[in-house]
Coordinates of all heavy atoms in Angstrom, one line a residue:
A156 N 109.5 -19.7 31.7 CA 109.7 -20.7 30.6 C 109.4 -22.1 31.1 O 109.8 -22.5 32.2 CB 111.1 -20.6 30.1
S157 N 108.6 -22.9 30.3 CA 108.2 -24.3 30.7 C 109.1 -25.3 30.0 O 109.2 -25.2 28.8 CB 106.8 -24.5 30.5 OG 106.4 -25.8 30.6
V158 N 109.6 -26.3 30.8 CA 110.3 -27.4 30.1 C 109.4 -28.4 29.5 O 109.7 -29.2 28.7 CB 111.3 -28.0 31.1 CG1 112.3 -27.1 31.6 CG2 110.6 -28.6 32.3
I159 N 108.1 -28.4 30.0 CA 107.1 -29.3 29.5 C 106.5 -28.8 28.2 O 106.3 -29.5 27.3 CB 106.0 -29.5 30.6 CG1 106.5 -30.1 31.9 CG2 104.8 -30.3 30.0 CD1 105.5 -30.2 33.0
G160 N 106.3 -27.5 28.2 CA 105.8 -26.9 26.9 C 104.5 -27.5 26.5 O 103.6 -27.7 27.3
D161 N 104.4 -27.9 25.2 CA 103.2 -28.5 24.7 C 103.2 -30.0 24.6 O 102.4 -30.6 24.0 CB 102.9 -27.9 23.3 CG 104.0 -28.2 22.3 OD1 105.0 -28.8 22.7 OD2 103.9 -27.8 21.1
I162 N 104.1 -30.6 25.4 CA 104.2 -32.1 25.4 C 103.0 -32.6 26.1 O 102.6 -32.2 27.2 CB 105.5 -32.5 26.1 CG1 106.7 -32.1 25.3 CG2 105.5 -34.0 26.4 CD1 108.0 -32.4 26.0
D163 N 102.3 -33.6 25.5 CA 101.1 -34.2 26.1 C 101.2 -35.7 26.1 O 100.2 -36.4 26.3 CB 99.9 -33.7 25.3 CG 100.0 -34.1 23.8 OD1 100.9 -34.8 23.4 OD2 99.1 -33.7 23.1
E164 N 102.4 -36.3 26.0 CA 102.5 -37.8 26.2 C 103.9 -38.0 26.9 O 104.8 -37.2 26.9 CB 102.5 -38.5 24.9 CG 103.5 -38.0 23.8 CD 103.3 -38.7 22.5 OE1 103.1 -40.0 22.5 OE2 103.3 -38.0 21.4
D165 N 104.0 -39.2 27.5 CA 105.2 -39.5 28.3 C 106.4 -39.4 27.4 O 106.4 -40.0 26.3 CB 105.1 -40.9 28.8 CG 104.0 -41.1 29.9 OD1 103.6 -40.0 30.4 OD2 103.6 -42.2 30.3
T166 N 107.4 -38.7 27.9 CA 108.6 -38.4 27.1 C 109.8 -38.5 28.0 O 109.8 -38.0 29.1 CB 108.5 -37.0 26.5 OG1 107.4 -36.9 25.6 CG2 109.7 -36.7 25.6
L167 N 110.9 -39.1 27.4 CA 112.1 -39.2 28.1 C 113.2 -38.5 27.2 O 113.4 -38.9 26.1 CB 112.5 -40.6 28.4 CG 113.8 -40.9 29.3 CD1 113.6 -40.3 30.6 CD2 114.1 -42.3 29.4
K168 N 113.8 -37.5 27.8 CA 114.8 -36.7 27.1 C 116.2 -37.1 27.6 O 116.5 -37.0 28.8 CB 114.6 -35.2 27.2 CG 113.3 -34.8 26.6 CD 113.2 -33.2 26.6 CE 111.9 -32.8 25.9 NZ 111.8 -31.3 25.8
L169 N 117.1 -37.5 26.7 CA 118.5 -37.9 27.0 C 119.4 -36.8 26.6 O 119.4 -36.3 25.5 CB 118.8 -39.2 26.3 CG 118.2 -40.5 26.8 CD1 116.7 -40.6 26.7 CD2 118.8 -41.7 26.0
S170 N 120.4 -36.5 27.5 CA 121.3 -35.4 27.3 C 122.7 -36.0 27.3 O 123.0 -37.0 27.8 CB 121.2 -34.4 28.4 OG 119.9 -33.7 28.3
P171 N 123.7 -35.3 26.6 CA 125.0 -35.7 26.5 C 125.8 -35.9 27.8 O 126.7 -36.8 27.9 CB 125.7 -34.6 25.7 CG 124.6 -33.9 24.9 CD 123.4 -34.0 25.8
N172 N 125.4 -35.2 28.8 CA 126.1 -35.4 30.1 C 125.5 -36.5 31.0 O 125.9 -36.7 32.1 CB 125.9 -34.1 30.9 CG 124.5 -33.7 31.3 OD1 123.6 -34.4 30.9 ND2 124.3 -32.6 31.9
G173 N 124.6 -37.3 30.4 CA 124.1 -38.5 31.0 C 122.9 -38.3 31.8 O 122.3 -39.3 32.3
T174 N 122.4 -37.1 32.0 CA 121.2 -36.8 32.7 C 120.0 -37.1 31.9 O 120.1 -37.1 30.6 CB 121.1 -35.3 33.2 OG1 121.1 -34.5 32.0 CG2 122.3 -35.0 34.1
L175 N 118.9 -37.4 32.5 CA 117.6 -37.7 31.8 C 116.5 -36.8 32.4 O 116.4 -36.6 33.6 CB 117.2 -39.2 32.0 CG 118.2 -40.2 31.5 CD1 119.1 -40.6 32.7 CD2 117.5 -41.4 31.0
L176 N 115.7 -36.3 31.5 CA 114.5 -35.5 31.9 C 113.3 -36.3 31.5 O 113.0 -36.5 30.3 CB 114.5 -34.1 31.3 CG 113.3 -33.2 31.6 CD1 113.4 -32.8 33.1 CD2 113.3 -32.0 30.8
E177 N 112.5 -36.7 32.5 CA 111.3 -37.5 32.3 C 110.1 -36.6 32.4 O 109.9 -36.0 33.5 CB 111.2 -38.7 33.3 CG 109.9 -39.5 33.1 CD 109.7 -40.5 34.2 OE1 109.9 -40.1 35.4 OE2 109.3 -41.6 33.9
I178 N 109.3 -36.5 31.3 CA 108.1 -35.7 31.4 C 106.9 -36.7 31.3 O 106.8 -37.5 30.4 CB 108.0 -34.8 30.2 CG1 109.2 -33.7 30.3 CG2 106.7 -34.1 30.1 CD1 109.2 -32.8 29.1
S179 N 106.1 -36.7 32.4 CA 105.0 -37.7 32.5 C 103.7 -36.9 32.4 O 103.6 -35.8 32.9 CB 105.1 -38.4 33.9 OG 106.3 -39.2 34.0

């Protein structure tokens, strides 16, 4: 399973626990 998936532009995902997932 891919966390990037079909994302094709810079994306920042914010989560309730304060962590951030940056997809470049």
Side-chain angles (χ1 to χ4, degrees):
S157 170
V158 298
I159 297 175
D161 59 357
I162 292 175
D163 58 6
E164 57 185 316
D165 291 346
T166 300
L167 186 62
K168 295 185 176 184
L169 284 62
S170 296
N172 62 1
T174 62
L175 302 92
L176 180 67
E177 180 188 41
I178 298 175
S179 299

